[in-house]
Amino acid sequence: MNKTLYDKLWDMHAINPDDDAETLLYIDRHFLHEVTSPQAFEGIEKKGLAPWRLDANVATPDHNVSTQRGKNLDIHNSEHSLSKIQLIELDKNCKKFGVTQHDINSDKQGIVHVIGPELGLTLPGMTIVCGDSHTSTHGAFACLSMGIGTSEVEHVLATQTLRVRKLANMRISIVGAPKFWITPKDVILYIISKIGTAGGTGHAIEFAGDYIESLSMEGRMTICNMSIEAGAKVGLVAYDSVTESYIKERGNSQKLESSDAFDYWSQLHSDPHATFDKEIEIDISDLLPQVSWGTSPEMTIAFNGDIPKSSNSKKALSYMGLENEKNLLNIEFDKVFIGSCTNSRIEDLRAAAAAIKGRKKAASIKEVLIVPGSRSVQKQAEQEGLDIIFKEAGFSWRDPGCSMCLGMNEDKLAPYERCASTSNRNFEGRQGYLGRTHLVSPFVAGLVAIHGHLPSDLNEYNYER
Amino acid sequence: MNIIMKDKIIGIVAKIMIDNIDTDQIIPTEFLKSIKKFGFGEFLFDGWRYQRDGDLDTPVKERGLQKDFILNQQPFDKAKILLVGDNFGCGSSREHAVWALRDFGIEAVISTSFGDIFYNNCFKNSVLAIKLQSKDITKIESFIKHDPHQIIVSLVDKTIMAGKESITFNVEDSLINRIIHNQDDIDITMKDAQRIKDFEANHLAVKPWL
C-alpha cells in the first residue's frame, strides 16, 4: 500500500490504530516553555502524577525573556515582576519534576524551535509536541510535530500520549527557479496568500518539489514554521541527504551511526503513488519579494503590488492606516524586527547583513532589533562578525528570545508604529497595542532598515549573498 | 455508568461575524503572563472591548468600555453563546483564549470553521464548538434577530432550537461526551496505561536513538 509521509509517521506512533474515534498517539519529544506550561505542571501535581518519561521533556524560557539581559541574569532580581514569575515558575517546576531545562543563563538557551534542531533534540521520524503553534517547524525533519494547548501539555506530561484524530493529507509542490532575492519566507508568504489562512485547516501539509529539495534545513524550517499560518498545524518535508548531513553535524553521531537510525529514516518520504486529499502546485519562477499589507498573513502582496481594496479589506486597511495608499512603496516605517522562530537562524542573519552591505540605518527608522534565535546562533554570528555589521549600522544586537514577534516582553511597538518584521503574524496588536506589522523576509527587512521604506527597484540589489 | 452532567445550553447569542478572528484577538499576549487557569474573562476580546490597552494589574474599570462592541451592550453582556465568522480561533495555540471565553460565561461557539488547535482546546474546557454550514449559520442569524436573542442547544440530541424552529449539528461523540459527562482526558487515557507501556517498550527497543 502506498502511504504518505504523514501516514507513515502516524502508523509508527498509533497505539490503538483500530479505534475509530480517537487515536492514542505516542509522543517522542516534548518541548516546554514558560508561558504555556505552569498550569500543566500544576495540573499533574494536583493529580499526584509525575512526567511519564522524563527524558522526553526539554524546557527553555523564550517567550517572555528580556533580550537585554547580558550573560548572568538573576531571575529573582530581574525588574519586570510579572515576567519574572513565569521564569521562576519554570525553574521551580523543572527542578521539582527533574525536567532538563536550558535556563536563562545557559549557553544552550534560545527559542524552543531553534534550539531543538541545533541541539540534536529534534530527530527525523519523531512525534514532537509543544504548547506553541509554531511546533510545526520541526516537520522540516520529517517529524510529525504540532502545537498543542496547555491541557494537552498536561496530558503529554502525564501519559506520553495525545488523544487525536487523524488529519487529511495535502501536498504543495513548489516548482520553478526563484529569482535572486527570493527567500523561503517569500515562498511561504506567497503560498498563504494563495491558499488562504484556512487553506490547510484539518490537513497536514507536505511541502515538496525541486525548490524544497534545494533548500537547506534552515529554509525548510521557515516554510514548515508558517504552515500554521495556512491553517495546518502539521507541516512536513521528506527526509533526504540534506537532512542526513544536518543530523550528522549536530546529533550524537556515534550513537546514531551505531544504531540503524539512518537506514530507518530513509523510508521517511511519501511513496511514489501515495494519494493526497488535496494537491497544489505553486510556480515561483516569477515570484517577487512578498510583503503583508493587512492583519492576517493571507493579506500579502508582491512588494510593488497594488493593495486589494474591497469591503473585506476595509477593517484591515483602516487598522493599518492604509486606506489612502495605492501600494506599499511610499509608506514610511518606524521600526524593523529581525528575529522569531521563523527567521532568526544564522542564514537569516546573513541575509539581513548582506542586504545592508555596510550601510547605515535610515534616520527615519527609530529602532532596528536583531534578535538571534539562540545563544548558539548569537555566538556563531559574532564569530562571523555579523554583530559588528549590525552595530555599525546603528542596529540593536540583542540576546535570544521570541521578543517582538509577540510583544510579550518590553520589545513592543507603540500605538500606530509601523514595523517591517521577519516574524510570522501580523494580527491586530500582535507586536504591541495598535502596532502595525508588515511581514517580510530578512533580506527585505534589511533593506527597509537602511532606506526607511521598501525599495522601488530591486535590480540594484542583485549582488551575491 | 456515565452520568449526564450537562445536557443543554440555554442562552443569549452574541454575533461577531468577522472572519479569521485569531486567538490574539480573543486574548492578547499581555494577559498570558498569568500562571493561573482562571480569571481571564474580563480580558476577553480585550483590544476591542476597552478604550485603552491594559495589563493584569490595571483594573478594567479604569480603561473605559468601547460602547459599540457587542459584548459591552445589554443583553449581550450576558451572552452564553457566540456566533462568529469563518476560521474562528486561528493562530496561536494559547488555551488562554478558551479560558477567557469560559470565564466570561461563553458555553458554546458557532462557526463554519475553527482553527484546529483552538477547536481541540474548547472541548478540554467544556466549551462546545459547533461547526455549521453557511446556510445554517444564516438560519441561526434569523433565530436570534429578535428579543430575547436566545437559542437552546441540546448536547444529547445535537440540535439547536429557537421557538418552533430547529436544526441539527454534527460533532464527534468522543468530543461532546467530554462535556456531557464532564470527563477528564487523563483519566480516560490512564485506563490504557498498560497498553501505552507495552507500546513504549517495543518502540524504544526498536529505536534506541530516541
Side-chain angles (χ1 to χ4, degrees):
Chain A
M1 183 181 151
N2 279 287
K3 290 181 182 177
T4 67
L5 172 55
Y6 175 70
D7 294 338
K8 289 181 185 179
L9 291 166
W10 181 270
D11 292 349
M12 286 168 187
H13 294 90
I15 295 175
N16 56 340
D18 303 326
D19 289 8
D20 296 338
E22 283 180 328
T23 300
L24 265 183
L25 200 69
Y26 186 81
I27 301 303
D28 295 321
R29 175 70 68 213
H30 185 201
F31 292 116
L32 298 122
H33 62 84
E34 77 278 28
V35 176
T36 58
S37 69
Q39 297 89 345
F41 278 117
E42 190 189 355
I44 62 165
E45 189 170 17
K46 273 188 183 158
K47 289 192 171 81
L49 298 169
W52 177 283
R53 184 162 70 86
L54 201 52
D55 65 4
N57 300 283
V58 180
T60 196
D62 58 3
H63 281 62
N64 199 3
V65 299
S66 164
T67 56
Q68 290 180 294
R69 58 183 187 268
K71 298 281 176 193
N72 287 302
L73 182 83
D74 178 356
I75 52 173
H76 296 277
N77 281 320
S78 67
E79 270 177 36
H80 305 275
S81 56
L82 272 172
S83 310
K84 183 173 89 173
I85 291 169
Q86 290 190 321
L87 296 187
I88 293 172
E89 202 65 17
L90 182 66
D91 219 42
K92 208 174 77 188
N93 284 323
C94 288
K95 281 181 184 142
K96 190 188 297 167
F97 292 102
V99 171
T100 301
Q101 185 201 180
H102 301 303
D103 71 15
I104 191 78
N105 291 316
S106 164
D107 60 5
K108 293 177 178 169
Q109 182 270 340
I111 302 174
V112 64
H113 310 306
V114 176
I115 70 165
E118 74 186 13
L119 295 176
L121 298 167
T122 298
L123 292 174
M126 277 182 164
T127 42
I128 301 182
V129 294
C130 173
D132 186 279
S133 61
H134 291 107
T135 309
S136 57
T137 310
H138 308 265
F141 292 81
C143 291
L144 201 181
S145 63
M146 60 193 162
I148 55 177
T150 295
S151 294
E152 288 177 316
V153 170
E154 185 181 330
H155 192 272
V156 172
L157 279 171
T159 70
Q160 212 54 49
T161 64
L162 270 185
R163 306 191 70 86
V164 279
R165 284 155 299 281
K166 200 174 172 190
L167 298 164
N169 280 291
M170 177 168 176
R171 178 160 63 188
I172 299 182
S173 302
I174 305 163
V175 299
K179 293 214 163 58
F180 174 78
W181 329 274
I182 296 303
T183 71
K185 178 64 165 292
D186 300 294
V187 173
I188 187 66
L189 279 173
Y190 180 65
I191 290 171
I192 296 161
S193 76
K194 286 289 156 205
I195 71 172
T197 192
T201 302
H203 292 76
I205 302 180
E206 180 174 344
F207 297 97
D210 294 348
Y211 176 71
I212 293 294
E213 287 168 27
S214 75
L215 282 182
S216 68
M217 290 314 294
E218 298 200 356
R220 295 175 186 186
M221 281 190 255
T222 299
I223 302 258
C224 288
N225 172 277
M226 286 188 73
S227 66
I228 185 68
E229 268 64 63
K233 61 181 175 181
V234 174
L236 288 163
V237 173
Y239 177 87
D240 65 7
S241 59
V242 179
T243 331
E244 186 180 318
S245 309
Y246 184 101
I247 298 294
K248 282 185 172 162
E249 280 167 34
R250 284 167 186 80
N252 184 346
S253 258
Q254 230 173 352
K255 189 177 162 193
L256 294 172
E257 298 276 11
S258 64
S259 66
D260 52 0
F262 291 102
D263 284 342
Y264 183 83
W265 294 335
S266 64
Q267 63 175 309
L268 296 175
H269 55 80
S270 291
D271 292 330
H273 300 290
T275 53
F276 289 82
D277 302 285
K278 247 190 202 178
E279 281 234 57
I280 293 171
E281 190 173 282
I282 300 263
D283 188 342
I284 56 166
S285 325
D286 296 322
L287 191 64
L288 290 168
Q290 301 287 299
V291 183
S292 73
W293 56 266
T295 54
S296 164
E298 70 181 19
M299 296 172 170
T300 289
I301 51 176
F303 77 103
N304 57 359
D306 285 346
I307 302 170
K309 301 277 169 83
S310 71
S311 56
N312 288 336
S313 61
K314 220 173 152 189
K315 186 175 184 286
L317 287 171
S318 157
Y319 180 87
M320 294 297 288
L322 295 171
E323 292 123 310
N324 302 318
E325 300 292 332
K326 187 173 177 296
N327 56 45
L328 298 171
L329 294 175
N330 295 317
I331 58 162
E332 296 289 330
F333 286 80
D334 302 295
K335 286 184 175 165
V336 175
F337 171 65
I338 298 174
S340 86
C341 57
T342 311
N343 279 138
S344 64
R345 298 177 182 84
I346 193 69
E347 289 174 13
D348 302 315
L349 301 187
R350 286 179 194 146
I356 68 171
K357 229 186 175 184
R359 279 166 293 189
K360 305 267 183 255
K361 176 176 81 65
S364 58
I365 296 283
K366 293 178 201 165
E367 190 173 45
V368 180
L369 286 186
I370 314 270
V371 186
S374 67
R375 283 290 187 205
S376 162
V377 172
Q378 186 182 34
K379 196 171 148 199
Q380 165 103 27
E382 288 173 0
Q383 279 166 0
E384 295 181 18
L386 301 179
D387 60 322
I388 307 291
I389 295 173
F390 295 137
K391 285 179 198 161
E392 283 180 352
F395 301 176
S396 185
W397 177 245
R398 297 295 184 89
D399 296 317
C402 300
S403 182
M404 214 207 278
C405 173
L406 80 166
M408 192 165 191
N409 68 359
E410 57 280 18
D411 305 337
K412 282 182 199 202
L413 298 180
Y416 311 113
E417 276 185 341
R418 193 178 295 284
C419 181
S421 179
T422 68
S423 55
N424 40 58
R425 288 182 176 142
N426 51 350
F427 299 152
E428 281 184 32
R430 173 75 178 185
Q431 295 193 293
Y433 184 65
L434 299 179
R436 295 163 172 170
T437 302
H438 294 272
L439 304 175
V440 295
S441 73
F443 188 71
V444 170
L447 293 179
V448 171
I450 55 172
H451 295 299
H453 50 78
L454 290 168
S456 50
D457 179 11
L458 282 172
N459 287 322
E460 64 171 295
Y461 306 106
N462 265 340
Y463 40 73
E464 285 302 314
R465 251 182 269 150
Chain B
M1 188 65 206
N2 286 325
I3 302 164
I4 292 181
M5 305 292 285
K6 179 171 187 170
D7 62 352
K8 60 171 88 66
I9 300 165
I10 305 170
I12 292 164
V13 185
K15 197 170 92 166
I16 309 177
M17 299 309 282
I18 299 170
D19 292 343
N20 302 321
I21 294 178
D22 57 80
T23 52
D24 276 74
Q25 305 318 310
I26 302 172
I27 183 109
T29 305
E30 180 61 33
F31 305 101
L32 273 52
K33 289 179 180 170
S34 166
I35 59 166
K36 306 245 167 8
K37 218 172 167 170
F38 294 92
F40 297 95
E42 55 186 8
F43 309 120
L44 176 69
F45 295 113
D46 194 90
W48 297 346
R49 207 155 137 213
Y50 301 102
Q51 291 173 12
R52 286 179 296 283
D53 66 330
D55 53 41
L56 289 165
D57 294 332
T58 309
V60 291
K61 274 183 242 151
E62 291 172 14
R63 296 166 52 205
L65 292 177
Q66 290 282 10
K67 294 211 169 65
D68 54 356
F69 185 61
I70 186 154
L71 296 184
N72 289 334
Q73 298 164 0
Q74 287 182 339
F76 305 104
D77 55 348
K78 306 258 180 334
K80 281 190 186 175
I81 298 159
L82 284 185
L83 181 68
V84 293
D86 304 341
N87 197 26
F88 185 77
C90 60
S92 159
S93 62
R94 57 187 69 178
E95 196 161 320
H96 310 66
V98 180
W99 299 336
L101 289 165
R102 176 203 62 195
D103 293 350
F104 181 88
I106 301 296
E107 297 179 34
V109 188
I110 305 171
S111 173
T112 54
S113 56
F114 295 93
D116 283 342
I117 304 174
F118 174 84
Y119 184 76
N120 271 337
N121 288 343
C122 282
F123 291 92
K124 314 283 182 198
N125 295 282
S126 285
V127 174
L128 175 61
I130 302 176
K131 288 182 199 173
L132 291 180
Q133 300 202 333
S134 305
K135 62 173 172 46
D136 286 335
I137 296 279
T138 312
K139 276 189 198 161
I140 306 264
E141 287 190 273
S142 72
F143 291 175
I144 59 166
K145 213 165 193 170
H146 303 290
D147 196 48
H149 314 285
Q150 194 168 290
I151 57 173
I152 300 169
V153 180
S154 166
L155 280 65
V156 180
D157 302 333
K158 298 183 188 171
T159 56
I160 298 172
M161 292 161 286
K164 285 176 189 158
E165 310 258 18
S166 96
I167 56 171
T168 56
F169 62 89
N170 277 318
V171 57
E172 274 183 56
D173 287 334
S174 61
L175 288 173
I176 203 166
N177 283 342
R178 302 281 216 293
I179 302 177
I180 295 173
H181 306 299
N182 194 25
Q183 289 166 330
D184 179 87
D185 275 29
I186 294 177
D187 293 344
I188 300 172
T189 301
M190 279 302 192
K191 289 180 189 148
D192 282 323
Q194 191 54 48
R195 214 170 161 187
I196 300 170
K197 278 181 194 155
D198 294 345
F199 178 93
E200 181 175 57
N202 181 55
H203 186 68
L204 299 182
V206 177
K207 305 173 196 73
W209 56 85
L210 288 175

